[in-house]
Amino acid sequence: MMLICAALSSLGCGADKPIQKSDMVMDTVVTLSASGAEAEAAVTEGMARLHELEKLVSPQLPDSDVSRLVQMAGSGQWVELHPEVYHLLAVAQDYAAKTNGAFDVTAKPLVDLWGVGTDHSRVPSPAEIAKAQKLVGWQKLELDEKTHSARLTEAGMGVDVGGIAKGMAADEVRKIYRRHGIKDGLLNLGGSSIYALGVNGEGQPWRIGLRHPRKDDAQEKIAVMPLTDEALSTSGDYERFFEEDGQRYHHIIDPRLGRPAQSGLMSVTITAADKLEDAGLLTDLLTTAVFVLGPEQGARFLRTMPSGISGALIDSRYQLWTTHDMAQRLEEVSQELQFWQESGEWQ
């Protein structure tokens, strides 16, 4: 998932010099910024924490929690997980149930089959899809809360946490910032997961540009989202895709159908207030779930979420579906977009 841009202008106000560091973590460029007396310590600890978390969830590392879970799939043995990974899977399972499988971390066999974003992307046959789907199903991922353990019930199953791990990581860094008393800062995990604290150098909310879903230039924005003490994630069909016979096949898989979601959406942006537990994780997870659900069902689902969560959904006809106060908060909205009103009319 990728958000176009975060306005990385000068940080914070006052005499404390702002600190900013970047590094490659979780296959993306991460930039942590902070202003305050303990900004350097917060940023340094935050980056170290991200590298720790990467070692727990990376499928490329054979001793990561995710890899060990896959290695033991179908054996019947429970795999003890680190608390952060167990919590990640517990929240994922909760929302798999709430969305009737629209979000499902066990979709890895399908993700691997389609290979979108890799050098072996292709359109698999119906038989191949059916075979992979037999190894997918959130009910086949079992959790034991007492021991913080998990197991996959069938050999060949896997878990794909790529769509939620960065959100969880943002929450973990947010905890470090809180311990260091950081009031102003920005956590930018590859653009797809943003956590904005306080205000920028001008004393204004951080301004996050939402990428235009059909412009080749990643800096072309379709709207701007002011952000203060909130997490934000965006997911779109423009991030990783390939085309074959005039059809676009993107990376957001509908686990229920075994293929890239054909929900009518081009992008989904979700924000969650800092006061909410798992704000980063929830925004990351919900962008995928809502994209699969589609504009009508997705917007309806978002309206059931706790206060502090809101969404902006752009469909293939450039119709903008918003929930809660999102319509009033968006700025510099492209004239291409029409706002959907809950009365059922476009404006």
Side-chain angles (χ1 to χ4, degrees), residues 200-253:
N200 62 21
E202 287 72 47
Q204 299 296 319
W206 297 96
R207 295 176 58 78
I208 310 301
L210 307 185
R211 177 173 178 169
H212 193 298
R214 287 298 178 266
K215 298 290 187 182
D216 291 336
D217 184 356
Q219 298 307 309
E220 286 277 354
K221 60 182 181 293
I222 202 163
V224 170
M225 181 69 197
L227 214 62
T228 297
D229 293 330
E230 290 175 281
L232 178 149
S233 290
T234 291
S235 187
D237 66 358
Y238 51 82
E239 296 158 11
R240 298 193 302 275
F241 68 93
F242 69 94
E243 294 182 349
E244 186 172 311
D245 298 328
Q247 177 77 37
R248 175 190 292 251
Y249 298 96
H250 56 79
H251 73 292
I252 306 172
I253 300 293

Side-chain angles (χ1 to χ4, degrees), residues 41-340:
V43 169
T44 300
E45 289 179 32
M47 196 65 77
R49 181 64 171 144
L50 290 176
H51 283 288
E52 291 175 357
L53 295 171
E54 181 179 34
K55 293 177 182 179
L56 301 183
V57 300
S58 173
Q60 282 78 43
L61 299 177
D63 58 346
S64 73
D65 282 12
V66 167
S67 293
R68 292 188 300 110
L69 186 57
V70 172
Q71 292 161 12
M72 300 305 296
S75 70
Q77 295 187 37
W78 292 92
V79 177
E80 187 174 353
L81 307 172
H82 287 79
E84 306 90 336
V85 180
Y86 180 85
H87 181 69
L88 176 75
L89 295 181
V91 175
Q93 290 293 82
D94 181 31
Y95 278 85
K98 289 178 177 177
T99 61
N100 293 318
F103 182 84
D104 189 342
V105 293
T106 71
K108 183 173 173 55
L110 290 167
V111 173
D112 292 344
L113 179 64
W114 285 86
V116 181
T118 71
D119 57 5
H120 58 270
S121 58
R122 66 186 181 91
V123 179
S125 69
E128 290 175 307
I129 293 174
K131 182 178 179 180
Q133 277 193 290
K134 292 180 180 178
L135 298 174
V136 174
W138 62 273
Q139 300 92 338
K140 300 176 184 178
L141 169 60
E142 298 178 349
L143 303 179
D144 185 338
E145 185 176 4
K146 292 182 179 179
T147 62
H148 277 187
S149 299
R151 64 182 177 186
L152 295 164
T153 61
E154 296 186 25
M157 291 186 68
V159 291
D160 179 14
V161 299
I164 52 175
K166 284 185 286 187
M168 176 269 288
D171 287 330
E172 289 296 306
V173 176
R174 174 66 184 102
K175 294 175 184 177
I176 292 172
Y177 273 39
R178 187 175 288 116
R179 290 199 296 270
H180 285 282
I182 303 301
K183 303 297 184 183
D184 303 313
L186 193 68
L187 317 179
N188 182 359
L189 279 71
S192 61
S193 295
I194 302 284
Y195 214 126
L197 301 175
V199 295
N200 62 21
E202 287 72 47
Q204 299 296 319
W206 297 96
R207 295 176 58 78
I208 310 301
L210 307 185
R211 177 173 178 169
H212 193 298
R214 287 298 178 266
K215 298 290 187 182
D216 291 336
D217 184 356
Q219 298 307 309
E220 286 277 354
K221 60 182 181 293
I222 202 163
V224 170
M225 181 69 197
L227 214 62
T228 297
D229 293 330
E230 290 175 281
L232 178 149
S233 290
T234 291
S235 187
D237 66 358
Y238 51 82
E239 296 158 11
R240 298 193 302 275
F241 68 93
F242 69 94
E243 294 182 349
E244 186 172 311
D245 298 328
Q247 177 77 37
R248 175 190 292 251
Y249 298 96
H250 56 79
H251 73 292
I252 306 172
I253 300 293
D254 185 339
R256 305 164 302 178
L257 301 178
R259 57 182 295 117
Q262 296 177 307
S263 65
L265 286 172
M266 294 191 293
S267 72
V268 175
T269 296
I270 307 290
T271 63
D274 184 47
K275 66 181 181 180
L276 296 173
E277 185 179 1
D278 301 318
L281 174 54
L282 289 177
T283 58
D284 219 354
L285 181 155
L286 287 171
T287 55
T288 300
V290 169
F291 193 101
V292 172
L293 289 172
E296 294 186 28
Q297 193 176 356
R300 191 180 308 122
F301 179 73
L302 280 178
R303 294 188 186 104
T304 70
M305 292 291 97
S307 173
I309 293 179
S310 58
L313 293 58
I314 301 176
D315 69 21
S316 58
R317 295 179 291 177
Y318 287 93
Q319 295 171 156
L320 178 63
W321 305 67
T322 61
T323 69
H324 303 89
D325 64 346
M326 183 69 85
Q328 291 73 41
R329 296 177 61 196
L330 286 174
E331 299 177 357
E332 299 182 31
V333 179
S334 170
Q335 293 183 354
E336 295 174 87
L337 292 177
Q338 285 183 296
F339 280 85
W340 172 253

